[in-house]
Amino acid sequence: MVVQFQNRKIPEECHQKMREFFAAGDDVIWVAFPSGGGDNRWSIIAKSGQYFNRNIPEECHQKMGEYSKDGAKLIRVAFTPGGGWSIVNDRGAFFNRNVPDECHQKMGEYSQGGAKIVSVAFPPQGGNSWSIVNDKGAFFNRNVPDECHEKMNEYSKDGAKIICVAFPPQGGNSWSIVNDRGAFYNRNVDDEAHMFFGYFSEVYGPVRFVAFDTDGSGWSVGALVTKNEKVCDATQCVSILDVYNNVQAALNGNVVGYACAIGSASLGAYSYGQARTQANAPATMFLPSTKIPVASVSKAVTTLAAIPLLAKHSVSLDSSIGGHLPSDWKLDSYVSSITFRQLLSHRSGIKDYGNNDQTYDTLKKFFTQKVDPTKNTMCQPASVVNPADPINPNNKGGCYSNYNFGIFRVLLPIIDGFSDFSGDVGSKLATAYIKIVQKYVFEPVGAQGVDSKPPTSGPQASSYAFSYKYPGTTSGYDWGDNTLGVGAAGWWLAIDDIAKVLYSLNKDDGRILTTTQLSDMVKTPLGWDVNTNSGGIRWIEKNGGWSANGTTISTSIALFGAGVFGALFLNSDILGPGLQNNWQWCKKCQGLSFAGNANLGSCPAGGLHDHTGSSNFRLHLGSGPPGAQRNWRWCIKCEALSFGGSPSIGSCSGGGNHDHGSSGEYFLPQRGSGGVPRNNQDNWRWCNKCQVLAFAGGSSLGACAAGGQHDHAGSGNYLLEQLFGADSVLYGAYVDAQKPK
């Protein structure tokens, strides 16, 4: 079977040699690092018995050759902090040099009766401290941490056998153990190494070795590939590993940090990057356990609590909310008649997006207003705050509003018996709502301590995620305590938390919702944004996004395909090296201009550019993909993107010709004969009069600074990539992983 490994901060030559063994089909089964004497010191042993050493003691190298004769194969090499070493082969023979006498003697004792030593390890403090294990499951420890010894006993029960023990260089109570059934336990090891233990175990197979570079923070983890979980429908199959790989290809190096979980029968997780960067020192890694505010994913969380709580109290989803709000709220008859189902499906007649704090006082003011039945307010975007007549009883079509879910912070506690309306009612209701959600959503699946605020004690108190603007070199944003506005948004979750919830829903195991309740939530849908995609793929998804001070959080959870669940939490925009965002379409002139400066730039249609309704596009700066056209430039006067490679620079709406003096060089790809790539928009064209790039797919070609409208004769068809979020990444990772059955 194949062994998959992950290395971090080990000598580059060691890493490359491990890859060479892997490429040759000879799996690495062990790695070891001597201490002292320089950085590039290591030993690799492969399944075939082949090995490669660099800068280890010469006698050790010679003995490895001697103990590999006549078909014998090396299985272990270990180095003491003081320069000693131990080698073991598959026939039970071993050789020690300058190891503690007692260790040597015990290796002899534990090799009697046909037993063979399979693990030797030396803690970094040196002296008479060591651990040995044989193939019968027996082990002997001397001066290792007490907890390590106890856990080795625990992980040896019921016939299980320890196969690997390792000690990081920092010493103290830091160690790692692995048994032959794939169970492992780590104490105070590198966070990323620990993450890979879990990821490998769930996605690839059982961990078989871990080694720590004794002179630094490097490590190597290897797992036996015994799994390749696939989920199939009538025509397509998807490998869970392929979905993970697609997420990593899209995000690694292109975001500050993220964590994701994808599975069906498995419950694994992967993370990358930083929860906090050096701009908010100390930098901390983004882990599956990292808490992050999940924005509107909270709506799905609220729904998952509402459905079973209403059922418990025999309150139908199709009953009205009027009898379940505080008695001092004087409701309009229409508001009183709104049903729970209408709220949870955004079909309540509320047309205000609710882009505000959603506190108790805000909710009370909104839900106690008088409704004018003669008004016909249409659904308002997030940019419109507090529109007039925001409740439309004549139109219950879908309209996204935070009010639909924020009100459940009041409704659920009252339905559950809340009656203390003295003092700070808003705070009391929020506390009661949080306990309800914990009870009905998270605790049934073993997720403890989930809250609407970041952790205030323990390691997470200084390592929960901030949001950043890529690449994270400027200070991030701390979203803080969202308790008083939680419901439509505001929950702080880790991927580890939500994965347990999604796993339960995907298995339909009844721990949160009954089969009937889950079916209703999916089909209506309740709390989700979508329940199918345009191609007919099962895609039940809820996403969220928050922005502040130029920073971004993007989140998505989904049930998709023939029984797959996924979750992805990001703490920055998705950009990557050599890309620049904040390029937007002007709805007046149709041109593409930069919207990231204080001055939006002069528009040839008059006034300044108007980017209302535009996507946020990202452009290649400094270099581009193969075939991209170079020499596109930004104009400092009008902010537009224009071509700088023509004899004429082009007329500028800011007066005279374009000024490219402060511009870098942009590269634009053109559409080929195939379809438009995901997250891209085509039909962007060069104007041969003013040289700008303008959208040619609208009802108007747009005003040109050279007079009249843009003229696209002679232009290619350019592609612009839209800035996308967690939902697009998760969806694309699944779709691209599909293969014919």
Side-chain angles (χ1 to χ4, degrees):
M1 292 183 179
V2 176
V3 171
Q4 176 72 25
F5 60 85
Q6 179 70 32
N7 298 323
R8 188 69 76 222
K9 297 180 182 178
I10 69 171
E12 180 61 23
E13 187 185 12
C14 179
H15 175 68
Q16 294 302 328
K17 282 295 178 183
M18 291 176 72
R19 294 183 65 182
E20 288 178 21
F21 277 113
F22 180 83
D26 195 5
D27 296 321
V28 173
I29 63 168
W30 190 249
V31 188
F33 303 94
S35 60
D39 295 331
N40 194 30
R41 308 184 71 214
W42 42 271
S43 178
I44 300 170
I45 300 174
K47 179 175 62 177
S48 66
Q50 294 294 310
Y51 58 90
F52 195 97
N53 298 318
R54 180 66 74 202
N55 296 322
I56 71 169
E58 181 61 28
E59 186 187 14
C60 179
H61 177 71
Q62 293 171 356
K63 286 294 181 181
M64 289 176 75
E66 184 179 325
Y67 278 65
S68 298
K69 292 179 179 179
D70 302 322
K73 300 177 183 178
L74 293 171
I75 61 169
R76 285 292 187 271
V77 58
F79 300 97
T80 72
W85 45 270
S86 177
I87 61 171
V88 182
N89 72 16
D90 63 346
R91 295 180 178 176
F94 61 87
F95 192 94
N96 296 319
R97 178 66 73 202
N98 296 325
V99 305
D101 288 341
E102 186 185 15
C103 176
H104 178 74
Q105 293 166 3
K106 286 295 180 183
M107 288 177 70
E109 289 180 24
Y110 278 65
S111 298
Q112 294 177 359
K116 303 171 185 177
I117 300 296
V118 296
S119 175
V120 185
F122 301 98
Q125 70 264 27
N128 190 31
S129 56
W130 42 272
S131 175
I132 61 170
V133 183
N134 72 16
D135 63 346
K136 306 299 183 183
F139 61 87
F140 196 97
N141 296 318
R142 179 66 74 201
N143 296 321
V144 304
D146 288 342
E147 187 185 16
C148 178
H149 179 74
E150 292 165 2
K151 286 295 179 182
M152 289 176 70
N153 276 312
E154 182 179 329
Y155 279 64
S156 298
K157 291 180 178 178
D158 301 320
K161 303 172 185 178
I162 301 296
I163 59 171
C164 177
V165 182
F167 300 96
Q170 69 265 27
N173 190 31
S174 57
W175 42 270
S176 178
I177 62 171
V178 181
N179 75 14
D180 62 346
R181 296 180 181 175
F184 62 88
Y185 199 96
N186 295 318
R187 177 65 74 201
N188 297 322
V189 305
D190 181 270
D191 285 336
E192 187 182 16
H194 178 70
M195 183 274 291
F196 269 102
F197 269 79
Y199 175 61
F200 279 169
S201 296
E202 290 291 339
V203 179
Y204 286 94
V207 172
R208 282 295 177 257
F209 70 81
V210 57
F212 298 100
D213 188 344
T214 57
D215 291 332
S217 57
W219 48 264
S220 179
V221 176
L224 194 63
V225 179
T226 60
K227 300 179 180 180
N228 186 12
E229 185 180 4
K230 292 183 179 179
V231 181
C232 302
D233 59 20
T235 61
Q236 302 276 343
C237 287
V238 168
S239 162
I240 298 301
L241 176 58
D242 286 347
V243 183
Y244 269 117
N245 287 340
N246 290 342
V247 170
Q248 293 167 30
L251 296 180
N252 288 12
N254 300 325
V255 295
V256 172
Y258 74 92
C260 66
I262 298 146
S264 181
S266 60
L267 189 58
Y270 174 86
S271 64
Y272 166 91
Q274 296 175 315
R276 299 189 192 181
T277 71
Q278 200 58 36
N280 299 99
T284 57
M285 184 182 172
F286 207 122
L287 299 169
S289 59
T290 296
K291 302 287 187 178
I292 185 172
V294 296
S296 285
V297 164
S298 300
K299 292 179 174 67
V301 172
T302 293
T303 305
L304 289 169
I307 292 172
L309 183 132
L310 291 174
K312 176 187 176 183
H313 293 281
S314 300
V315 178
S316 169
L317 283 167
D318 296 303
S319 62
S320 63
I321 66 172
H324 306 289
L325 289 168
S327 60
D328 65 338
W329 288 30
K330 306 305 178 184
L331 304 180
D332 183 273
S333 60
Y334 174 74
V335 173
S336 182
S337 71
I338 294 172
T339 69
F340 295 97
R341 183 181 300 276
Q342 288 168 345
L343 290 171
L344 294 173
S345 60
H346 290 296
R347 295 182 178 275
S348 62
I350 296 174
K351 305 303 180 184
D352 184 348
Y353 189 95
N355 199 2
N356 53 41
D357 58 19
Q358 294 285 298
T359 62
Y360 179 81
D361 289 341
T362 299
L363 294 173
K364 180 177 181 180
K365 181 178 179 181
F366 185 86
F367 281 92
T368 58
Q369 67 183 290
K370 190 67 177 174
V371 177
D372 187 342
T374 68
K375 303 298 182 181
N376 194 29
T377 304
M378 294 294 99
C379 190
Q380 301 297 301
S383 57
V384 178
V385 179
N386 297 325
D389 300 300
I391 303 176
N392 185 347
N394 306 306
N395 183 340
K396 296 182 183 179
C399 181
Y400 194 93
S401 175
N402 287 323
Y403 283 112
N404 287 321
F405 286 81
I407 193 61
F408 278 89
R409 193 177 68 253
V410 181
L411 288 166
L412 296 185
I414 292 175
I415 292 170
D416 202 39
F418 179 89
S419 60
D420 183 5
F421 291 96
S422 62
D424 189 352
V425 178
S427 179
K428 292 177 181 178
L429 283 167
T431 299
Y433 159 84
I434 290 165
K435 290 180 179 179
I436 287 169
V437 174
Q438 291 170 338
K439 176 181 177 180
Y440 284 90
V441 181
F442 294 109
E443 291 173 2
V445 296
Q448 303 294 327
V450 179
D451 211 333
S452 59
K453 57 187 176 183
T456 56
S457 61
Q460 280 272 10
S462 57
S463 60
Y464 60 84
F466 288 5
S467 59
Y468 288 93
K469 177 179 175 60
Y470 180 88
T473 52
T474 56
S475 184
Y477 187 81
D478 182 352
W479 289 91
D481 189 342
N482 302 314
T483 299
L484 297 181
V486 69
W491 279 97
W492 282 78
L493 304 179
I495 279 291
D496 282 346
D497 300 324
I498 200 64
K500 293 173 182 175
V501 172
L502 294 172
Y503 178 86
S504 174
L505 299 179
N506 192 58
K507 300 297 286 185
D508 192 11
D509 61 17
R511 287 185 290 170
I512 300 174
L513 299 180
T514 67
T515 297
T516 300
Q517 290 169 342
L518 178 58
S519 177
D520 190 16
M521 183 183 179
V522 167
K523 289 179 180 179
T524 301
L526 304 173
W528 303 102
D529 287 332
V530 293
N531 61 359
T532 185
N533 84 323
S534 58
I537 297 172
R538 175 176 175 261
W539 181 247
I540 304 156
E541 192 268 348
K542 182 72 195 85
N543 59 67
W546 270 359
S547 298
N549 296 354
T551 72
T552 300
I553 278 174
S554 182
T555 59
S556 177
I557 63 172
L559 305 174
F560 44 94
V564 181
F565 69 87
L568 176 60
F569 298 164
L570 319 174
N571 72 337
S572 79
D573 52 325
I574 304 169
L575 198 58
L579 292 168
Q580 184 185 64
N581 64 3
N582 262 331
W583 287 92
Q584 297 186 19
W585 163 77
C586 172
K587 74 175 190 178
K588 296 193 298 181
C589 70
Q590 304 298 311
L592 184 75
S593 61
F594 189 63
N597 291 326
N599 178 19
L600 293 178
S602 300
C603 177
L608 301 176
H609 293 299
D610 184 347
H611 300 300
T612 303
S614 176
S615 296
N616 192 345
F617 297 97
R618 62 185 197 177
L619 302 185
H620 294 274
L621 177 60
S623 63
Q629 187 182 57
R630 62 189 308 163
N631 221 347
W632 286 88
R633 310 281 175 169
W634 163 73
C635 174
I636 194 173
K637 296 191 295 182
C638 69
E639 300 289 331
L641 186 74
S642 62
F643 188 58
S646 297
S648 170
I649 294 178
S651 299
C652 176
S653 54
N657 290 329
H658 294 299
D659 183 350
H660 299 148
S662 300
S663 177
E665 183 178 25
Y666 296 89
F667 291 70
L668 297 185
Q670 299 188 52
R671 179 180 174 181
S673 57
V676 178
R678 188 182 300 114
N679 302 316
N680 278 251
Q681 185 182 58
D682 71 340
N683 222 348
W684 286 88
R685 311 275 178 170
W686 161 74
C687 174
N688 61 38
K689 297 192 299 182
C690 68
Q691 305 296 313
V692 304
L693 186 73
F695 185 60
S699 58
S700 168
L701 293 178
C704 176
Q709 292 190 316
H710 294 302
D711 183 348
H712 300 303
S715 175
N717 185 357
Y718 295 95
L719 289 170
L720 294 186
E721 188 174 21
Q722 297 162 313
L723 207 63
F724 51 91
D727 54 337
S728 295
V729 174
L730 199 56
Y731 175 77
Y734 173 75
V735 171
D736 291 345
Q738 292 183 112
K739 292 181 174 64
K741 190 171 181 180

